[in-house]
């Protein structure tokens, strides 16, 4: 039964060891192929990708817009200070109110707005893919014919005209003389 043993070994080592070490297109083991497969996975697996619940603005869309803290809105200059307890209570009230109002507004309006924006960008993508790009391609194809006809007309009518005008004025000599 040594023949059975060889078949089992040949199944384990179907490819030479250097090919197994590099990996294949389905399960790459090297970094270069692994990065390519991750890009493909991100491109094709958009709906099931994991979202980051800690860093929710990875692309820094709102860095300069909505970072408003208590110190950015309310400040007391030197010589005009309220009681410390009032200042602390104001800070806490501002921070907690901003936090909970944002959460409540997001809970009430966030999902409907996400639905509306999703529909809007789906329509925009649909129009771009199925209307704009084909129209532009069609225009470029059609304008190629027009440009060829235009080029032939220019070469037929304008080239001889400008060549004749050039020959007429080629014999013109200008001399400058200074009279005193």
């Amino acid at each position: 039964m040594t023949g059975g043993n060889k078949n089992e070994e040949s199944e384990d080592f179907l490819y030479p060891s250097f090919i197994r070490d590099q990996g294949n297109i389905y399960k790459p083991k090297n970094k270069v192929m692994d990065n390519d497969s991750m890009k493909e996975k991100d491109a094709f697996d958009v709906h099931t990708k994991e979202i980051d619940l800690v860093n929710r603005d990875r692309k820094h869309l709102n860095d300069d817009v909505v970072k408003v803290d208590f110190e950015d809105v309310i400040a007391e200059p030197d010589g005009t200070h309220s009681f410390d307890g009032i200042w602390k209570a104001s800070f806490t009230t501002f921070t907690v109110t901003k936090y909970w109002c944002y959460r409540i507004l997001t809970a009430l309006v966030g999902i409907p707005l996400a639905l509306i924006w999703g529909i809007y960008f789906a329509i925009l993508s649909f129009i771009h893919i199925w209307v704009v790009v084909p129209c532009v391609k069609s225009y470029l194809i059609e304008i190629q014919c027009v440009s060829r006809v235009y080029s032939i007309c220019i070469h037929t009518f304008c080239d001889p005209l400008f060549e004749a005008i050039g020959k007429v004025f080629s014999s013109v000599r200008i001399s400058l003389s200074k009279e005193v």
Side-chain angles (χ1 to χ4, degrees):
M1 298 289 164
T2 56
N5 238 354
K6 279 186 178 179
N7 287 341
E8 289 174 13
E9 286 178 8
S10 66
E11 287 176 359
D12 289 343
F13 302 107
L14 194 57
Y15 299 106
S17 64
F18 67 90
I19 293 176
R20 283 194 316 262
D21 290 341
Q22 285 181 340
N24 61 30
I25 61 172
Y26 303 107
K27 293 181 181 177
K29 293 179 183 176
N30 58 357
K31 295 294 182 188
V32 175
M33 291 177 78
D34 195 30
N35 287 340
D36 292 340
S37 70
M38 289 302 291
K39 290 176 188 171
E40 279 184 24
K41 183 180 176 189
D42 290 343
F44 293 114
D45 202 13
V46 175
H47 304 294
T48 60
K49 71 177 182 179
E50 189 106 4
I51 59 171
D52 189 0
L53 294 176
V54 176
N55 183 12
R56 297 183 185 188
D57 191 10
R58 286 185 315 151
K59 297 182 180 178
H60 306 288
L61 298 175
N62 298 309
D63 276 355
D64 56 341
V65 179
V66 292
K67 284 188 177 180
V68 178
D69 290 326
F70 180 75
E71 295 85 12
D72 298 328
V73 177
I74 300 171
E76 292 180 334
D78 290 336
T80 311
H81 286 224
S82 61
F83 295 112
D84 290 342
I86 300 292
W87 185 252
K88 289 178 186 177
S90 299
F91 172 78
T92 304
T93 304
F94 177 87
T95 307
V96 170
T97 303
K98 184 182 95 165
Y99 177 80
W100 280 106
C101 282
Y102 179 77
R103 286 212 158 183
I104 291 169
L105 284 171
T106 304
L108 294 175
V109 184
I111 292 177
L113 281 177
L115 178 70
I116 290 168
W117 285 116
I119 291 169
Y120 173 76
F121 283 109
I123 291 170
L124 194 65
S125 297
F126 175 81
I127 289 171
H128 182 76
I129 291 168
W130 291 99
V131 176
V132 173
V133 172
C135 283
V136 169
K137 290 291 183 183
S138 172
Y139 173 76
L140 290 174
I141 290 170
E142 292 165 3
I143 203 70
Q144 245 179 356
C145 290
V146 172
S147 72
R148 286 184 183 158
V149 170
Y150 179 76
S151 175
I152 290 171
C153 289
I154 292 295
H155 289 300
T156 303
F157 298 112
C158 294
D159 282 357
L161 175 69
F162 291 134
E163 201 171 307
I165 292 172
K167 286 184 179 179
V168 166
F169 288 113
S170 67
S171 61
V172 173
R173 302 276 183 238
I174 298 175
S175 61
L176 296 173
S177 61
K178 200 176 200 181
E179 294 182 26
V180 180

